[in-house]
Amino acid sequence: MKIAIIGAGNVGASCASLLTCKSVCEQIALIDINANLAKAKALDLSHMAAILDLDIKINGSDDYELLRDFDIVVITAGFARKDGQSREDLAKANASIVSQSAAQIAKFAPNSIIIVVTNPLDLMVYVALNASKFKPNKVIGMAGELDSGRLKFQISSQLNTNVTNCNAICLGMHNDSMICQKSSMKVGEKALSDVLSDEDIQGIIHRSRTSGAKIVELMGTSAFYGPAAGVLKLCQSIKNESNNTLVCSVCDDSLIPTGRVVKLDKNGLKEIVEPNLTNEEEAKLQNSIDNLILFINTIYK
Ligand SMILES: NC(=O)c1ccc[n+]([C@@H]2O[C@H](COP(=O)([O-])OP(=O)(O)OC[C@H]3O[C@@H](n4cnc5c(N)ncnc54)[C@H](O)[C@@H]3O)[C@@H](O)[C@H]2O)c1
């Protein structure tokens, strides 16, 4: 398997590092508008692979030719929101980058699967889908695995128990309207609501929702190890065609992307699994989809 990553910054390079260490593919291409950065990181990662006795070819460039006939292309190119910048201005700047990238992917790797990471995530999945003209099953956004992982971490911290003992799912948009599905929150076989008060659960949800912002506050830039782990899980699922469910931003028949429970295979999206939402969660999800449609209309006007 050959995996290309567009954007050799924090998220892109962390993805390349994890994919290398976990031997998910035989080749990695790093593409960045800053050719020297892409080349330098590819060289550093190649040294890392040599030290670890991993036979993997890693190249960097600003030339999209490098990803010719690759199987998966991860888009991480783009900006994080700057002080004073509106959500719309950021969305327009990143939409331009993602749409140029997606058009190049369609040219050089027309049979690939695109994994979008650039924010605002669900909107960027829509942009990549439109610019690549790929079928909807071939364009997948990574965010739900990150949000769900953060929620699992908060549950395990609150209960002082192993994270592997905890389960939780975050659905919907990768923004403040994300839905932390109450019925999915479990510790062992027990529902979290049998173990903790509603107030404690609300605290967990709040800390989970704000944990991305906390990282920005502490470090001045957004997270990258967690997002890279999410990308790794998507690539492993595509490669292994495992029957595991993941949360990814994908389109249903409405062609509006949002975080849904899915199964992936070598063709990308294999199946959307019905999440069993409460009426309240269903209404919240519909509301955030309506907001995304309004946002799409603003960006494309
Ligand atoms: N989906 C998620 O859960 C999630 C999580 C974290 C970050 N993100 C998003 O990922 C994106 C990247 O974050 P980062 O921390 O890696 O940023 P970064 O600034 O470290 O890296 C971005 C890279 O993109 C490159 N780039 C810019 N324009 C380009 C173009 N036209 N073609 C090719 N490369 C280009 C830059 O040179 C830079 O190296 C941001 O939009 C961020 O908000 C998403």
Side-chain angles (χ1 to χ4, degrees), residues 122 125-126 129 136-137 139-140 248-258 260 269 272:
D122 306 281
V125 175
Y126 182 89
L129 184 63
N137 62 306
V139 183
I140 299 163
C248 300
S249 181
V250 295
C251 294
D252 63 4
D253 295 340
S254 69
L255 296 186
I256 299 297
T258 191
R260 298 177 163 99
L269 173 65
I272 296 178

Side-chain angles (χ1 to χ4, degrees), residues 5-14 31-35 37-38 41 61-62 64 75-81 90 93-94 96-98 100-101 116-122 124 141-147 150 174 221-224 226-228 231:
I5 300 161
I6 304 176
N10 283 334
V11 177
S14 303
I31 295 175
D32 200 288
I33 199 166
N34 180 344
L37 179 81
K41 295 223 174 160
S61 176
D62 59 354
Y64 279 82
I75 305 180
T76 73
F79 306 104
R81 183 143 52 142
L90 171 76
N94 282 352
S96 159
I97 293 171
V98 168
Q100 284 166 28
S101 300
V116 181
V117 183
T118 306
N119 276 325
L121 194 269
D122 306 281
M124 292 304 126
M142 193 302 297
E145 282 303 302
L146 175 66
D147 295 329
R150 285 173 172 169
H174 180 52
T221 188
S222 55
F224 37 91
V231 169

Side-chain angles (χ1 to χ4, degrees), residues 247-287:
V247 184
C248 300
S249 181
V250 295
C251 294
D252 63 4
D253 295 340
S254 69
L255 296 186
I256 299 297
T258 191
R260 298 177 163 99
V261 180
V262 302
K263 291 182 180 177
L264 304 178
D265 66 11
K266 289 203 172 102
N267 291 314
L269 173 65
K270 179 181 162 200
E271 187 186 337
I272 296 178
V273 180
E274 284 303 325
N276 206 4
L277 297 176
T278 62
N279 288 344
E280 190 191 345
E281 287 167 343
E282 192 73 61
K284 273 190 189 161
L285 181 62
Q286 192 51 53
N287 189 38

Side-chain angles (χ1 to χ4, degrees), residues 151-166 187 204:
L151 185 56
K152 257 170 46 173
F153 168 74
Q154 289 300 338
I155 295 171
S156 76
S157 302
Q158 172 92 26
L159 292 171
N160 197 19
T161 183
N162 291 345
V163 75
T164 47
N165 200 24
C166 303
V187 54
I204 285 171

